[in-house]
Amino acid sequence: MEFYIKDASKFINKKVEIKGWMYNKRSSGKIIFLQLRDGSGFIQGVVEQKNVDEKVWEAAENLTIESSVIVNGTITKHPKKEEYEIQVMHIEIVNLSPEYPIGKKEHGPEFLFENRDLYLRSKTPWAVLRIRDMVFRSITNFFAEEGFVRTDTPILQPTSCEDTTQLFELDFYDEKMYLTQSGQLYSEAAIMSFGKVYDFGPVFRAEKSKTRNHLSEFWMMDAEMAYYDQNMNMDLQEKMIKRIIKDTLENCKLELEILQRDTKILENCVKTKFLRKSHFEVKQELEKDGLKVDYNDDLSTEEEIALGNKYQIPVFVTDYPFEIKSFYMKSFVDERGVKRAKCADLIAPEEAREIIGGSQREDDYEVLLNEIKKRNYPKKEYEWYLNIRKYGSVPHSGFGLGLERMVRWLSGVHHIRETIPFPRSTTLNRP
Ligand code: 4AD
Ligand code: MG
């Protein structure tokens, strides 16, 4: 029977074979402790000189960090802790590693990310990227249960969805194309066939901002729903986020422990209703709290962090000034005469900041056409998008979740580059 380290508790006193790697080693005279990993987990192998052949002892002595190795032995429970060990009887060295570049000493992030291919083997990336996998699965299950159809959207697009200054342009058979910023516009077409859809894939932003929250290539999940207004949109987002947190807390205990993640706030987020506050209200509050705010602008990094720290629960910040938001959003004029978008950014606590952007979409042909003209977008390229409003238009809404932002919050790592296997940003493109 195949054995994986994660199942060790079910194999006490049984003979097993581990096919893996040695990530560390310690010896005290006649005992050598091998720190082994096989992808599914970590376990300590105990080699006692008195119990093994001379050849096995020699192999244990020769083993170097990150050598690949097949080990046979018996699983035992650690006498004091809830941990398991393997009492090693046989060792087969598959490949003996020369001195490993990532040693026991502390390395800076620069060095670790220049060697990301090797750094992936360390415990922190192992834990973070398994949480990423959990989020992916959680979202897929959630949308299947909610009756959504996954309809993926093209990576090469002739138009921009968000900010036109952040486009990566490329030559596509002598025509201009851009790498997608979001699949939203295509999802809007798809709901007219399927009702509720989502996509999940890589998107690209030529981000000038070098922050611990920005990547040039990241994964976005766009969801779009026919006959949903902005309130229904937020209800759905809240349900999804709570589900992701719950699944992660339940299924990623070892990962969270490796990351030394204090999960108190996350646990509370599963049980407590998220807040909904208008952009104006938030600016007013933060001003009272002593921050210098601009009522006409987006929330700054500082403001998003302050909001998260104040409430320790996600806050839907609604009704941003229309001028600073995307052309496709439905708008209204508030009681102060300010044109606002029927939208919300979801601001997460613990300095995680904006994890979701969403809105109700403009469903009126003429209003949308005027906005496209006003912003000097090439009308011809948006004709198909306008057609969604021509043939059986319905009120509809949607949102986009940044996968890496979500994973950064859950795992509590400082920098977003930790949350994707091979990050791409202005400074990090190797390997
Ligand atoms: O707020 P954004 O720009 O919204 C859209 O693209 C919409 N078209 C989505 C939709 O309604 N379907 O991006 C959505 C999310 C943000 O909230 C953030 O989590 C993430 O994508 N995001 C980034 N993540 C990492 N690096 C970047 N440079 C990001 N820019 C946005
Ligand atoms: Mg946004």
Side-chain angles (χ1 to χ4, degrees):
M1 198 163 103
E2 261 193 356
F3 170 81
Y4 287 100
I5 292 171
K6 69 177 170 52
D7 302 320
S9 65
K10 295 176 213 143
F11 284 81
I12 297 170
N13 298 326
K14 297 235 164 71
K15 287 204 164 84
V16 301
E17 181 171 272
I18 294 173
K19 294 178 172 175
W21 297 262
M22 193 198 77
Y23 71 91
N24 219 337
K25 182 164 104 174
R26 191 160 64 76
S27 69
S28 61
K30 301 205 174 315
I31 306 184
I32 296 176
F33 297 99
L34 308 175
Q35 313 299 324
L36 301 166
R37 57 179 190 84
D38 71 350
S40 82
F42 305 86
I43 198 166
Q44 173 158 280
V46 185
V47 192
E48 280 197 69
Q49 193 172 15
K50 67 175 173 23
N51 294 342
V52 296
D53 287 356
E54 209 170 302
K55 278 220 165 94
V56 174
W57 181 254
E58 238 171 60
E61 281 187 317
N62 289 340
L63 264 180
T64 50
I65 289 182
E66 285 307 324
S67 288
S68 44
V69 66
I70 299 175
V71 163
N72 291 76
T74 309
I75 298 291
T76 55
K77 189 170 175 297
H78 190 282
K80 287 171 217 130
K81 291 181 261 177
E82 267 304 307
E83 271 172 29
Y84 302 89
E85 291 181 331
I86 177 166
Q87 307 301 322
V88 176
M89 296 312 298
H90 190 259
I91 295 173
E92 179 193 331
I93 298 177
V94 179
N95 175 245
L96 196 66
S97 228
E99 197 186 341
Y100 199 62
I102 301 179
K104 291 176 195 174
K105 65 171 188 293
E106 284 281 320
H107 296 285
E110 231 101 299
F111 178 82
L112 291 176
F113 280 91
E114 272 165 30
N115 295 282
R116 179 59 161 176
D117 50 323
L118 301 178
Y119 175 45
L120 274 184
R121 304 182 188 199
S122 301
K123 270 192 175 177
T124 297
W126 183 86
V128 175
L129 297 176
R130 281 172 61 97
I131 290 175
R132 179 187 170 101
D133 173 58
M134 187 69 245
V135 175
F136 206 92
R137 265 185 288 159
S138 181
I139 288 175
T140 304
N141 292 337
F142 175 78
F143 279 114
E145 289 161 24
E146 294 284 328
F148 280 64
V149 176
R150 178 169 173 158
T151 52
D152 285 316
T153 50
I155 286 174
L156 298 175
Q157 301 185 359
T159 54
S160 89
C161 178
E162 300 297 318
D163 184 352
T164 48
T165 63
Q166 299 178 342
L167 287 169
F168 285 109
E169 189 181 307
L170 57 94
D171 179 72
F172 186 72
Y173 306 119
D174 295 332
E175 276 196 63
K176 248 191 215 174
M177 278 281 211
Y178 308 101
L179 295 179
T180 177
Q181 298 171 308
S182 158
Q184 180 200 321
L185 306 190
Y186 294 87
S187 296
E188 285 185 60
I191 56 166
M192 301 298 163
S193 173
F194 302 102
K196 295 191 278 189
V197 305
Y198 74 104
D199 71 3
F200 211 147
V203 298
F204 305 84
R205 306 263 168 113
E207 286 278 6
K208 306 271 168 342
S209 32
K210 283 184 204 162
T211 77
R212 59 192 180 97
N213 224 7
H214 286 94
L215 290 163
S216 308
E217 175 180 331
F218 61 98
W219 278 60
M220 172 125 66
M221 194 285 304
D222 295 285
E224 198 70 26
M225 298 78 67
Y227 291 106
Y228 263 53
D229 65 15
Q230 178 55 13
N231 281 327
M232 294 161 80
N233 191 13
M234 287 188 281
D235 290 344
L236 182 77
Q237 291 169 43
E238 179 163 349
K239 195 172 175 193
M240 180 192 77
I241 295 294
K242 285 186 151 86
R243 167 68 176 274
I244 297 172
I245 299 173
K246 187 165 168 282
D247 282 347
T248 304
L249 291 173
E250 278 174 16
N251 300 306
C252 297
K253 293 204 169 76
L254 174 62
E255 289 82 352
L256 294 164
E257 190 188 306
I258 287 172
L259 297 167
Q260 299 181 309
R261 180 78 168 97
D262 179 345
T263 56
K264 265 200 285 312
I265 291 175
L266 288 174
E267 281 158 39
N268 186 47
C269 287
V270 178
K271 309 184 286 229
T272 311
K273 187 150 173 51
F274 297 177
L275 298 172
R276 295 180 189 190
K277 288 171 177 287
S278 75
H279 177 270
F280 183 80
E281 201 184 338
V282 166
K283 289 277 183 183
Q284 226 175 13
E285 261 187 45
L286 293 175
E287 191 172 44
K288 267 193 210 130
D289 293 344
L291 272 77
K292 210 174 156 293
V293 305
D294 179 348
Y295 281 84
N296 301 318
D297 205 355
D298 220 337
L299 294 190
S300 64
T301 304
E302 200 192 1
E303 286 164 24
E304 288 186 355
I305 289 176
L307 189 67
N309 288 342
K310 185 168 177 182
Y311 293 107
Q312 314 259 306
I313 186 102
V315 182
F316 286 103
V317 179
T318 68
D319 309 343
Y320 282 67
F322 183 74
E323 298 312 318
I324 57 164
K325 285 293 185 185
S326 301
F327 74 100
Y328 52 71
M329 292 188 183
K330 197 160 184 68
S331 61
F332 68 100
V333 177
D334 74 5
E335 64 274 16
R336 286 170 211 88
V338 181
K339 191 175 177 188
R340 297 192 173 271
K342 280 196 183 170
C343 70
D345 281 2
L346 185 60
I347 310 299
E350 305 187 275
E351 303 196 6
R353 304 180 46 207
E354 179 197 330
I355 55 171
I356 287 181
S359 72
Q360 188 161 338
R361 320 305 192 189
E362 183 51 71
D363 50 58
D364 184 274
Y365 186 94
E366 291 301 328
V367 176
L368 188 61
L369 176 62
N370 282 337
E371 194 56 39
I372 285 171
K373 282 186 192 157
K374 214 163 123 192
R375 298 200 189 203
N376 284 324
Y377 290 1
K379 192 199 151 210
K380 202 177 137 282
E381 299 290 3
Y382 287 91
E383 234 145 51
W384 69 270
Y385 183 65
L386 281 159
N387 279 346
I388 301 170
R389 281 75 184 164
K390 201 189 248 175
Y391 306 107
S393 187
V394 293
H396 63 284
S397 303
F399 65 94
L401 169 79
L403 174 64
E404 291 76 14
R405 297 261 180 103
M406 186 68 204
V407 176
R408 186 167 84 85
W409 178 28
L410 291 168
S411 62
V413 290
H414 180 76
H415 202 293
I416 195 163
R417 66 186 160 214
E418 298 278 358
T419 64
I420 185 162
F422 295 97
R424 297 287 178 260
S425 73
T426 47
T427 50
L428 289 164
N429 305 299
R430 308 235 168 345

